[in-house]
């Protein structure tokens, strides 16, 4: 007759005594499994530890053959133990051998046991191993037993995490520090090697065991109360938009903060002997394991909200400040965050940032926009990187391939270091031709301009050798600000830009906000179903003239006595240009009346990015001073594929007949008299830029980093020959949808770098 389980509290107390004994790590582990087996009335208790190479090795056992310790092993995903590790979830089986994943390890002698319960050993979201109990008789372990084993697994996680077990087996680090590679989405060009800095450092709980359950329960209640107060307070503030958080996210926080099931589970863990903070962490791990298996992105998002909230609760309990850590930033910081605001990124200071990894961020996330602007290699949608990395871990960000390598092994690191050196050498070559004009071999002059949008972009003007700014995206100032920038702030930015440019031309694009570029402080319209085609850009500007007028005024004041070029985004009808022209004229008259110095000259241009423009170019060209092709939007609308949707964004090749024919139509319509620039991403791709020159484009605006490679291409190009080649190709009809291979082959033949 077996006695009833002695309860998790007693078990935890015993384990604590074992942890404090001055014995070897192996002895500590052996005693632990014996204790668990006795306490849970199990005939077997075993610990498997996950190695760097994905092998789960038996580290200690009570009940299985002792010779199997450090010999028996399984791969992650293999057998019951491997399944638990791979899925980070508990298995509780009355008859293990009938489970499809069961795999018999002869060296252990486990064939005689039927009942099986295994729990993952988790720490901060990472699986470190598996803890198993087994019994001969068929039985299902009850909830209290599952709870007890999970709690014990936390204690073991701590033992593994402090590195105590690392000497027990063959060399090789344990799971915590194993190299991990993640594939996300490349968002900011380049490669960065450095050390991780967690934007919101995780709180690591070390005091696991609660001495006094009533005291711990009271601490937990106090902390929950203060957390709820914080969430309520945030929601009741009028200026919640100013925090950059969206209301629905905050509402989700509130829902979690008041979730009774969550609070009950934490109290249960405290009753079982955990400290308040360990209870929070335990419930967080359980929830994470459950939600991580969700493929529904909405539910996975909720996991993030929940994690944020529990981290906050942990900070309250442990008296740690909120917000980024104030530890000194390493010289080669790679910032790792779930998500962050653009201003927060700038707070780190450009000089020390080598890369950025975001768990959530996509191409239009504000932090990404800024990172790209200041040339930080960036990867977004990088799995659950925040829980996999520790402050100070070595990390490589490959913004080109969209890869992140955590704690890379020496080979990977060497390969990347070489890549960085190679890039640096190439950059050096570009620097050598920086001050040379971009002229083809047959003496055709191409104007290379850069795209910009923030003050931090301005040093690139000199560094890249750009001839000016072909597209200044004025909305970026609005997007990173906490509230609507005032006239004086707008004027100050535009003045700084013009000062930095000196006598190089700058084309300011008026606000391209609305749609998906939401300004949290500007509550405009209710949710739109198709924001990219919604109430945005010049549409919003004309409907809300106060906003556009203020901007035009700021631009005119900043350009007092200088040349001003203003460009309108998303023009769909010629009348939109005329209305804006009338607004400008009124402003000019106002300036004159009030004795302000006017711009020396004012040019008004339109972006061609809505396909409808292609069939009214004749009329448009009579009312504008210049045009600029926004190939990003033009391609999006011509191919009906959302540029922000990763599934379709790269699906259609811009180097295709329909798109190139459209681009040729524009440049031909402009002829020699109308200045035309192309300022979408296409201009910065050397092969595409070569094609554009073949179509007749002579002015291209691109990200500053692209200017070197594009100039190198131009210096080796014969404009006459490429024009013939492109004309034949575009007029051809060979059935190829993608012309890139043919164009690349041409560049190869002609020795044009691309
Ligand atoms: C474009 O659409 O090509 C463009 C340059 O504008 P944005 O990328 O800012 O929409
Ligand atoms: Mg656009």
């Amino acid at each position: 007759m077996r006695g009833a389980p002695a309860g998790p509290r007693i078990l935890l107390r015993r384990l604590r005594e074992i942890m404090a004994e001055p014995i070897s790590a192996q002895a500590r582990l052996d005693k632990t499994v014996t204790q668990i087996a006795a306490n849970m009335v199990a005939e077997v208790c075993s610990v498997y530890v996950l190695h760097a190479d994905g092998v789960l090795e038996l580290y200690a056992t009570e009940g299985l053959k002792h010779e199997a310790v450090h010999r028996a092993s399984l791969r992650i995903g293999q057998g019951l133990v491997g399944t638990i590790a791979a899925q980070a979830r508990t298995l509780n089986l009355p008859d293990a051998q009938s489970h499809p994943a069961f795999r018999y390890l002869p060296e252990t002698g486990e064939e005689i046991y039927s009942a099986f319960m295994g729990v993952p050993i988790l720490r901060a979201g990472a699986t470190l191993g598996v803890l198993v109990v087994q019994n001969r008789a068929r039985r299902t372990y009850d909830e209290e037993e599952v709870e007890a084993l999970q709690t014990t697994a936390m204690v073991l996680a701590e033992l593994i995490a402090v590195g105590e077990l690392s000497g027990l087996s063959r060399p090789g680090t344990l799971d915590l520090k194993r190299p991990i590679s993640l594939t996300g989405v490349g968002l900011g060009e380049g490669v960065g090697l450095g050390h991780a800095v967690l934007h919101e450092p995780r709180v690591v709980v070390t005091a696991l065991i609660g001495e006094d359950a009533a005291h711990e329960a009271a601490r937990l209640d106090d902390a929950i109360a203060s957390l709820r107060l914080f969430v309520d307070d945030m929601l009741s503030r009028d200026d919640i938009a100013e925090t950059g958080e969206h209301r629905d996210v905050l509402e989700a926080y509130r829902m979690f903060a008041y979730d009774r099931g969550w609070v009950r589970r934490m109290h249960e863990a405290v009753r079982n002997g955990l400290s308040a903070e360990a209870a929070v962490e335990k419930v967080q791990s359980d929830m994470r394991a459950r939600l991580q298996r969700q493929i529904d992105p909405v539910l996975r998002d909720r996991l993030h909200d929940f994690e944020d909230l529990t981290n906050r609760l942990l900070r309250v309990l442990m008296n740690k400040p909120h917000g980024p850590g104030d530890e000194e930033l390493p010289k080669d910081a790679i910032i790792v965050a779930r998500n962050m605001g653009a201003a927060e990124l700038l707070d780190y200071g450009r000089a020390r940032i080598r890369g950025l990894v975001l768990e959530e961020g996509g191409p239009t996330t504000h932090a990404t926009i800024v990172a790209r602007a200041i040339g930080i290699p960036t990867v977004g949608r990088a799995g659950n990187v925040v829980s996999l990395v520790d402050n100070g871990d070595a990390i490589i960000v490959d913004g080109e391939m969209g890869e992140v390598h955590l704690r890379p092994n020496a080979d990977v690191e060497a390969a990347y270091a070489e890549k960085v050196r190679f890039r640096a050498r190439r950059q050096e070559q570009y620097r050598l031709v920086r001050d040379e004009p971009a002229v083809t071999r047959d003496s055709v002059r191409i104007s290379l301009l850069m795209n910009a949008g923030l003050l931090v972009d301005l040093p690139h003007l000199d560094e890249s050798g750009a001839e000016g700014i072909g597209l200044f995206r004025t909305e970026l100032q609005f997007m990173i600000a906490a509230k609507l920038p005032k006239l004086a702030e707008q004027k100050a930015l535009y003045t700084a830009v013009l000062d930095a440019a000196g006598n190089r031309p700058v084309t300011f694009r008026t606000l391209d906000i609305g749609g998906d570029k939401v300004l949290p402080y500007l509550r405009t319209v209710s949710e739109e179903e198709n924001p990219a085609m919604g109430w945005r850009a010049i549409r919003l500007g004309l409907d809300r003239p106060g906003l556009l007028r203020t901007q035009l005024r700021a631009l005119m004041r900043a350009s007092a006595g200088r040349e001003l070029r203003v460009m309108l985004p998303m023009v769909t009808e010629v009348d939109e240009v005329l209305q804006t022209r009338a607004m400008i004229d009124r402003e000019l008259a106002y300036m004159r009346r009030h004795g302000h110095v006017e711009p020396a000259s004012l040019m008004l241009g339109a972006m061609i990015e809505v396909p409808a423009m292609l069939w009214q170019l004749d009329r448009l060209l009579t009312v504008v001073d210049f045009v600029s092709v926004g190939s990003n939007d033009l391609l999006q609308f011509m191919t009906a594929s959302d540029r922000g949707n990763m599934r379709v964004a790269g699906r259609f090749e811009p180097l295709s007949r329909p798109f190139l024919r459209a681009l040729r139509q524009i440049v031909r319509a402009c002829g020699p008299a109308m200045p035309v620039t192309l300022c979408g991403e296409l201009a910065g791709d050397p092969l595409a830029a070569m094609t554009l020159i073949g179509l007749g484009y002579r002015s291209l605006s691109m990200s500053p980093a692209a200017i070197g490679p594009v100039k190198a291409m131009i210096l080796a190009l014969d404009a006459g020959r490429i024009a013939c080649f492109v004309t034949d190709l575009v007029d051809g009809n060979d059935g190829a949808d993608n012309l890139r291979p043919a164009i690349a082959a041409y560049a190869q033949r002609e020795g044009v770098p691309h």
Side-chain angles (χ1 to χ4, degrees):
M1 182 67 191
R2 302 198 167 272
R9 274 200 81 74
I10 299 171
L11 174 59
L12 268 182
R13 196 166 313 139
R14 299 254 161 82
L15 290 181
R16 197 181 52 197
E17 285 159 14
I18 296 171
M19 295 305 144
E21 282 181 40
I23 50 177
S24 73
Q26 186 66 54
R28 203 185 306 288
L29 216 48
D30 291 343
K31 275 194 158 189
T32 303
V33 290
T34 308
Q35 189 61 59
I36 299 169
N39 180 272
M40 296 192 57
V41 200
E43 282 133 342
V44 175
C45 175
S46 319
V47 176
Y48 296 82
V49 175
L50 183 61
H51 277 257
D53 51 6
V55 168
L56 282 148
E57 176 180 323
L58 181 66
Y59 263 56
T61 185
E62 166 71 27
L64 297 183
K65 290 183 187 157
H66 272 277
E67 311 86 84
V69 170
H70 297 304
R71 294 221 177 84
S73 64
L74 286 149
R75 291 206 68 78
I76 191 161
Q78 235 179 23
L80 297 176
V81 170
T83 303
I84 293 166
Q87 300 181 358
R89 71 178 171 124
T90 297
L91 282 182
N92 183 358
L93 309 168
D95 179 17
Q97 290 167 36
S98 66
H99 191 281
F102 179 79
R103 193 162 171 277
Y104 166 53
L105 293 179
E107 64 272 38
T108 63
E110 65 177 336
E111 65 277 17
I112 53 175
Y113 300 102
S114 291
F116 173 104
M117 169 170 52
V119 299
I121 301 174
L122 298 171
R123 191 171 193 265
T127 303
L128 308 188
V130 175
L131 175 62
V132 175
V133 289
Q134 289 171 278
N135 281 83
R136 272 171 209 255
R138 280 170 172 242
R139 57 166 297 204
T140 305
Y141 299 91
D142 66 26
E143 250 182 60
E144 191 178 325
E145 289 169 309
V146 175
E147 190 73 18
L149 203 64
Q150 287 174 342
T151 306
T152 312
M154 286 184 75
V155 177
L156 286 172
E158 198 52 36
L159 204 66
I160 299 173
V162 296
E164 191 167 339
L165 306 187
S166 47
L168 294 185
S169 180
R170 61 199 159 79
T173 47
L174 294 181
D175 175 61
L176 248 199
K177 289 291 174 192
R178 83 187 141 109
I180 297 177
S181 294
L182 302 168
T183 304
V185 183
L187 298 173
E189 258 212 39
V191 169
L193 280 80
H195 291 90
V197 172
L198 280 164
H199 179 55
E200 285 265 323
R202 238 186 359 258
V203 186
V204 177
V205 178
T206 46
L208 292 173
I209 299 166
E211 299 290 341
D212 171 356
H215 173 67
E216 294 300 320
R219 286 183 62 228
L220 183 62
D221 283 336
D222 281 353
I224 293 170
S226 115
L227 180 77
R228 286 177 176 169
L229 214 66
F230 159 79
V231 174
D232 291 344
D233 185 45
M234 222 166 28
L235 268 158
S236 64
R237 278 162 45 186
D238 317 330
D239 63 340
I240 62 159
E242 288 199 13
T243 65
E245 312 250 25
H246 296 295
R247 181 167 275 272
D248 55 347
V249 170
L250 291 177
E251 290 290 358
Y253 277 34
R254 171 135 75 181
M255 196 184 76
F256 279 122
Y258 282 89
D259 186 84
R260 278 211 291 264
W262 179 48
V263 175
R264 180 176 41 75
R265 283 195 293 277
M266 290 190 290
H267 271 292
E268 208 166 273
V270 163
R271 267 197 305 281
N272 285 338
L274 290 181
S275 66
E277 40 276 65
V280 175
E281 192 175 42
K282 176 179 181 303
V283 174
Q284 184 179 21
S285 286
D286 295 348
M287 184 77 128
R288 188 187 287 130
R290 232 175 319 140
L291 286 182
Q292 246 161 25
R293 288 194 299 277
Q294 281 289 344
I295 37 172
D296 180 345
V298 177
L299 278 177
R300 288 183 64 110
D301 258 6
R302 290 291 83 94
L303 168 65
H304 285 308
D305 298 340
F306 175 73
E307 297 241 2
D308 268 3
L309 201 71
T310 44
N311 283 339
R312 205 164 264 279
L313 186 57
L314 282 176
R315 283 165 187 281
V316 174
L317 276 165
M318 298 174 73
N319 269 328
K320 299 236 169 164
H322 302 288
D326 48 9
E327 309 91 85
E328 220 191 295
L329 210 58
K331 276 202 281 294
D332 56 357
I334 306 246
I335 312 292
V336 180
R338 177 193 151 194
N339 210 338
M340 69 197 299
E344 288 175 298
L345 177 62
L346 290 171
D347 279 347
Y348 280 101
R350 172 69 186 96
R352 284 166 176 255
I353 306 182
R354 293 279 179 281
L356 174 67
V357 183
L358 299 173
E359 214 166 280
E360 290 186 343
T364 51
T365 304
H366 300 173
T368 308
I369 293 172
V370 171
R372 224 183 356 236
I374 58 181
I376 299 176
T378 303
V379 170
R381 314 231 169 111
N384 55 335
V385 62
V386 171
S387 48
L388 295 174
V389 75
D390 260 327
N391 260 335
D393 279 355
I395 174 167
I396 296 173
V397 184
D398 183 339
E400 277 161 37
M401 306 301 291
E403 283 173 7
V404 180
H405 303 277
L406 306 180
R407 304 171 288 271
N409 61 36
D411 292 348
V412 173
E413 192 157 344
Y416 271 100
E418 180 50 38
K419 196 167 168 173
V420 169
R421 274 195 295 275
F422 178 72
R423 285 178 66 93
R425 273 201 299 275
R426 257 211 329 232
Q427 287 302 333
E428 188 48 43
Q429 284 163 6
Y430 299 145
R431 239 193 310 278
L432 292 177
V433 294
R434 187 180 58 191
D435 301 321
E436 275 183 38
V439 181
T440 62
R441 286 197 351 241
D442 52 343
S443 309
V444 176
R445 180 91 165 76
I446 310 293
S447 174
L448 298 184
L449 305 152
M450 71 172 222
N451 296 345
L454 294 166
L455 270 182
V456 288
D457 292 326
L458 299 181
H460 293 313
L461 253 178
D462 291 328
E463 288 159 16
S464 68
E467 288 171 38
I469 298 178
L471 166 65
F472 190 88
R473 293 180 163 106
T474 59
E475 63 275 9
L476 295 193
Q477 181 191 22
F478 287 66
M479 286 167 72
I480 66 168
K483 50 185 194 303
L484 196 75
K486 298 206 168 70
L487 174 73
E489 291 163 286
Q490 295 182 41
K491 181 183 162 204
L493 173 67
Y494 306 148
T495 306
V497 174
L498 290 168
D499 289 348
N503 47 20
R504 289 169 286 202
V506 179
T507 302
F508 290 98
R509 177 175 73 185
T510 59
L511 282 177
D512 188 2
I513 46 164
D516 51 348
K517 291 180 186 167
V518 196
L519 305 183
Y521 46 82
L522 192 75
R523 292 209 195 93
T524 47
V525 272
S526 51
E527 226 161 78
E528 293 181 289
E529 214 159 291
N530 287 303
M533 299 193 281
W535 195 49
R536 59 174 280 202
I538 191 64
R539 302 167 188 184
L540 192 146
L542 291 172
D543 292 357
R544 285 275 169 92
L547 205 61
L548 181 57
R549 197 180 312 119
T550 306
Q551 181 174 38
L552 291 170
R553 190 171 290 178
L555 283 167
M556 290 182 197
R557 300 242 174 117
S559 341
R562 310 194 248 203
E563 175 190 86
L564 173 60
R565 299 178 188 219
V566 179
M567 175 160 85
L568 309 179
M570 291 290 290
V571 174
T572 314
E573 289 183 337
V574 175
D575 196 48
E576 291 162 338
V577 181
L578 298 177
Q579 285 185 48
T580 313
R581 175 85 75 184
M583 207 188 267
I584 289 175
D585 288 343
R586 278 195 298 276
E587 274 308 307
L588 280 173
Y590 176 91
M591 281 184 99
R592 262 173 237 139
R593 269 203 313 280
H594 289 82
H596 293 290
V597 183
E598 291 171 49
S601 65
L602 196 154
M603 293 166 77
L604 181 63
M607 287 193 74
I608 299 182
E609 45 185 359
V610 175
M613 262 303 131
L614 264 74
W615 294 276
Q616 45 186 329
L617 286 169
D618 45 355
R619 185 149 170 257
L620 176 79
L621 299 183
T622 62
V623 302
V624 291
D625 302 309
F626 64 92
V627 294
S628 191
V629 182
S631 55
N632 304 337
D633 276 317
L634 189 59
L635 183 72
Q636 145 165 285
F637 295 125
M638 278 192 57
T639 57
S641 51
D642 181 351
R643 61 192 262 198
N645 176 346
M646 286 300 139
R647 289 223 173 142
V648 295
R651 191 180 180 97
F652 302 106
E653 173 59 58
L655 299 184
S656 62
R657 286 200 175 89
F659 198 57
L660 293 183
R661 285 175 184 172
L663 295 177
R664 185 170 65 176
Q665 190 179 326
I666 298 169
V667 74
R668 281 189 178 166
C670 289
M674 175 61 62
V676 54
T677 298
L678 188 140
C679 64
E681 299 306 314
L682 204 59
D685 165 5
L687 207 59
M690 180 183 88
T691 313
L692 291 168
I693 293 169
L695 290 175
Y697 284 86
R698 296 293 177 260
S699 173
L700 303 170
S701 192
M702 62 199 73
S703 73
I707 289 185
V710 170
K711 191 184 279 184
M713 177 278 292
I714 290 171
L715 295 176
L717 186 71
D718 185 303
R721 286 172 63 81
I722 187 70
C724 293
F725 173 75
V726 169
T727 303
D728 286 350
L729 194 66
V730 172
D731 286 337
N733 196 11
D734 61 7
D737 287 324
N738 180 356
L739 302 181
R740 187 175 284 270
I743 297 171
Y746 174 88
Q748 196 73 33
R749 275 198 308 278
E750 298 279 314
V752 178
H754 57 281

